[in-house]
Amino acid sequence: MSDRYAVIGRPINHTKSPLIHGLFAQVAGQCLEYGALEGELEGFEAQVLQFRSDGGLGMNITAPFKLRAFELADQRSERAQLARAANALKFEDGRIFAENFDGIGLLRDIEENLGEPLANRRVLLLGAGGAVRGALLPFLQAGPSELVLANRDMAKALALRNELDHPRLRISRYEELEGQSFDIVVNATSASLTGELPPLPEGVLGATQLAYELAYGKGLTPFLRMAQAQGVVRLADGVGMLVEQAAEAFAWWRGVRPETRAVIDRLTIPLE
């Protein structure tokens, strides 16, 4: 009988995780089953525990259950603690372990796949939700000269800065970005999911080398169109992050990290 894993979320019909982990298993020579579970709003915790009881060894967690998965765990990594959310669980020795690979997956995609190191560069993160919480620690460990977090809700951004208390982390209102320039800009707001733009001042992307959209499979989002119009040459969406965070979870569970390039290429939709 194959080792069992699954992704759980609501809705789950759009998930690429079974395809991704199936491809990983092939290239890594691992024997496993990977399914998708539609999460129940009133019974999420019971579903996770039942999956474990039925012999499951680990789960990926997607919206809207990452916080609840974090709370359910017996032991949490530093990354999960900072994000206050888990995107992967492991069941071992009767305990539930929580991890958050979103941030390290994003960093790996930017630095390794796209060839844009963060070290000594000015980086702008848009938003202060769960994705940004997961990205802050890996990003700061990469050594940017400054990491600026811009968000509409300054109380939320301030709480994040106070939690991390890092000398290279600065928070800003959108309007305060006027006249500034950044090497790398990452849009982690929900604006692109609704076809809207984050309220960036005119021209703030003019000197940017890479504009990165966390949403994936949506082509040129309003944010990427704005970056393109301001002359940004390197545009990317979040498909590489999706694959890289999955590879981190696979390695955590199986002890071997699969190659990701072919999987990213298979899932990439041209930005047009």
Side-chain angles (χ1 to χ4, degrees), residues 125-129 132-133 149-152 157 160 174 186-190:
L125 270 174
L126 308 178
V132 169
R133 295 187 69 96
L149 173 62
N151 196 51
R152 282 191 174 101
L160 265 177
Y174 281 102
V186 178
N187 180 28
T189 71
S190 60

Side-chain angles (χ1 to χ4, degrees), residues 15-262:
T15 184
K16 304 291 187 187
S17 292
L19 171 61
I20 292 169
H21 284 277
L23 293 171
F24 284 166
Q26 290 177 25
V27 300
Q30 298 283 303
C31 183
L32 58 86
E33 295 178 13
Y34 190 104
L37 295 175
E38 184 78 18
E40 299 173 5
L41 294 179
E42 300 301 323
F44 165 76
E45 290 80 6
Q47 283 181 287
V48 172
L49 296 177
Q50 186 62 55
F51 184 79
R52 180 179 68 167
S53 296
D54 291 342
L57 298 181
M59 301 184 84
N60 285 121
I61 314 296
T62 189
F65 298 118
K66 292 183 180 183
L67 177 57
R68 289 167 68 174
F70 173 82
E71 296 292 345
L72 184 62
D74 302 301
Q75 186 169 322
R76 308 168 181 100
S77 72
E78 182 183 12
R79 288 185 293 242
Q81 289 175 5
L82 179 62
R84 293 183 185 168
N87 83 329
L89 298 177
K90 180 164 63 173
F91 311 128
E92 194 172 84
D93 300 326
R95 308 185 75 199
I96 300 176
F97 296 84
E99 254 289 6
N100 191 307
F101 295 116
D102 286 335
I104 195 67
L106 173 60
L107 179 65
R108 189 177 181 93
D109 190 38
I110 291 173
E111 293 203 321
E112 301 292 332
N113 299 329
L114 299 173
E116 296 286 352
L118 269 62
N120 301 314
R121 302 176 86 182
R122 297 195 78 223
V123 180
L124 174 62
L125 270 174
L126 308 178
V132 169
R133 295 187 69 96
L136 282 177
L137 184 60
F139 270 38
L140 287 166
Q141 289 172 338
S145 60
E146 186 174 43
L147 178 60
V148 178
L149 173 62
N151 196 51
R152 282 191 174 101
D153 184 345
M154 286 301 290
K156 197 172 182 180
L158 182 61
L160 265 177
R161 189 194 67 184
N162 290 342
E163 273 184 61
L164 206 54
D165 190 25
H166 195 285
R168 289 195 300 274
L169 176 61
R170 179 168 66 85
I171 61 172
S172 174
R173 293 179 173 84
Y174 281 102
E175 59 269 22
E176 294 171 344
L177 299 174
E178 187 168 2
Q180 299 186 51
S181 63
F182 301 90
D183 300 300
I184 297 171
V185 180
V186 178
N187 180 28
T189 71
S190 60
S192 292
L193 300 178
T194 55
E196 300 174 357
L197 268 171
L200 284 169
E202 183 70 28
V204 75
L205 301 177
T208 298
Q209 278 89 59
L210 170 66
Y212 193 106
E213 173 72 79
L214 238 61
Y216 63 90
K218 297 185 177 299
L220 280 177
T221 63
F223 167 73
L224 291 178
R225 286 189 186 281
M226 177 174 64
Q228 189 179 61
Q230 293 185 31
V232 181
V233 176
R234 299 291 307 275
L235 307 175
D237 70 1
V239 68
M241 171 191 173
L242 173 71
V243 175
E244 293 295 345
Q245 64 81 26
E248 294 292 333
F250 192 96
W252 187 46
W253 294 329
R254 308 299 297 177
V256 55
R257 195 181 196 282
E259 293 293 326
T260 57
R261 183 72 264 166

